[in-house]
Amino acid sequence: MKGKLNLDLVILCGGKGSRLGVLTRKIPKPMIKILKQPFLQHLINFYKKNNFQNIYLLAGYKGYQIKKKFHNSKQNLTPIKCIIEKKPLGTGGALSLLKNKIKNDFVLVNGDSFFNTNINRLINFKFPDKCNIKMILLENKNYKTNKTLKGLSIRNKIICFSRKSNLMNSGIYFVRKEILKKIKNNEQTSFENDILENQIKKGFVSGYKDDNFFIDIGIKKQLNYAKKNLGKIIRKPAVFLDRDGVINKDNGYVYRYNKFFWLDGTFDALRHLQKNFYLFIVTNQSGIGRGYYSIEDFIKLHAQINHKLQKEQIFINDVEFCPHHPDNGRGKYKINCKCRKPKVGMIKNLIKKFNIDLKRSFFIGDKSSDMLASKRLNIKFFYRENNLYRQVLKIERDLN
């Protein structure tokens, strides 16, 4: 799709979680709830702002639970597919299930660990042509017994083994799709021990070190640590933004990028806000329901919007839209729904998925429907002014 990265996200969700004992007797490890949401939802929230083409969830043990919640859904307008292995294949064997499905290089992450790192840095990290994999290392402070993660070093951007090094694998990789050719179909294989180790020995893995917050929930001690500390990283206020009339000129039912005109101060405002706030777009799109354009047109436009924003180093955390209209909608779209502003369904969806500090959040809109939706949830509201950057600076001063 034009505007989207030619890159997919793959999350490994197949582990049985045997070290967690009774905690994973009835649910797969990535579905353990932390802060009232499955751990996997927090991971998807963290990564989906990067404008991937697709998100693939490779599930195994009790994978039907993951599939039921996420399969064929869209988050931040990105389609999610869940693939369940028929027998245990390991972290490497599970990747063989992508051979006839994935068309792009991909970012690969573990479904039981969270690393507060800049994925855009990994994507854009320049590495030698001979390398098939890029990876991020971190200091091994709490995982001394895990042999698959220990003793890694970096020499001239190339990952190597070193007994003297205290660096370990973070479980986050950029992988060229050609690596899938090295994996046999339906054969149990470890990505770390069989594929990654071999590629490191050959000098075909590049990477760098990062010191940000890392947590693996594979053992009870670290799971408890995550329950106590993950919220300190992911809980923050949000800025809810209407779209037309707030970030772009409202020309009436905009659905083509050549008719999408950015308003003054938008880039500077969003770049500034994302340092401390989640950025959400919450937009009524009755043009879909009226038959003026399709959902596919809307998604294509937002792929192009995000492409431009990423060039400006701006990342939208999520987009919620309502295609309905109670009077002028056609067919299934002619309903009095719970999402169309001034109703609050779209905002509630975001509150449910993300760990939001609502007391410090605010909404910027240009219509009374935006104001009324904010008022119903006790979220501070501001009408859009001429220059969005100057306005958000003033809002922050007033709120503090």
Side-chain angles (χ1 to χ4, degrees), residues 72-107:
N72 282 340
S73 65
K74 284 188 174 69
Q75 296 213 20
N76 204 16
L77 306 181
T78 302
I80 298 179
K81 301 289 185 181
C82 179
I83 304 171
I84 303 176
E85 58 191 15
K86 295 180 180 179
K87 64 178 182 179
L89 295 174
T91 53
L95 289 174
S96 71
L97 302 176
L98 292 173
K99 284 186 176 181
N100 297 322
K101 294 180 173 62
I102 202 164
K103 297 179 180 178
N104 305 306
D105 296 337
F106 55 95
V107 170

Side-chain angles (χ1 to χ4, degrees), residues 19-23 217-226:
R19 291 181 296 171
L20 292 172
V22 297
L23 296 175
I217 64 167
I219 60 175
K220 291 181 181 179
K221 179 182 177 182
Q222 295 303 322
L223 175 60
N224 291 333
Y225 180 83

Side-chain angles (χ1 to χ4, degrees), residues 330-359:
R330 296 182 179 180
K332 65 181 181 180
Y333 296 115
K334 187 177 182 179
I335 60 170
N336 188 14
C337 66
K338 295 181 180 179
C339 52
R340 179 175 170 80
K341 294 175 295 183
K343 294 184 179 178
V344 295
M346 291 187 286
I347 302 174
K348 281 188 173 182
N349 287 342
L350 294 167
I351 293 171
K352 184 178 179 181
K353 283 188 286 188
F354 288 82
N355 199 266
I356 301 172
D357 180 354
L358 278 181
K359 289 183 179 179

Side-chain angles (χ1 to χ4, degrees), residues 137 140 150-154 160-168:
L137 304 185
N140 186 355
K150 295 173 65 175
L152 296 173
S153 185
I154 308 170
C160 56
F161 289 103
S162 172
R163 294 180 180 178
K164 298 179 181 179
S165 177
N166 193 39
L167 297 182
M168 75 176 196

Side-chain angles (χ1 to χ4, degrees), residues 34 142-143 213-217 219-233:
I34 297 178
N142 302 306
Y143 301 90
F213 175 88
F214 175 85
I215 188 67
D216 183 314
I217 64 167
I219 60 175
K220 291 181 181 179
K221 179 182 177 182
Q222 295 303 322
L223 175 60
N224 291 333
Y225 180 83
K227 289 180 177 179
K228 292 178 182 178
N229 293 280
L230 185 59
K232 298 175 185 178
I233 303 298

Side-chain angles (χ1 to χ4, degrees), residues 3 9 16 18 31 34 37 39 57 96 114 137 151 155 171 192 202 227 247 254 273 283 307-308 312 331 342 347:
L9 173 68
K16 192 172 182 179
S18 55
M31 295 298 286
I34 297 178
Q37 280 292 334
F39 184 72
L57 308 178
S96 71
F114 176 90
L137 304 185
R155 295 174 188 166
E192 298 82 4
K202 291 181 177 180
K227 289 180 177 179
I247 69 172
V254 177
L273 288 169
T283 175
H307 183 67
K308 173 60 177 176
E312 299 288 336
I347 302 174

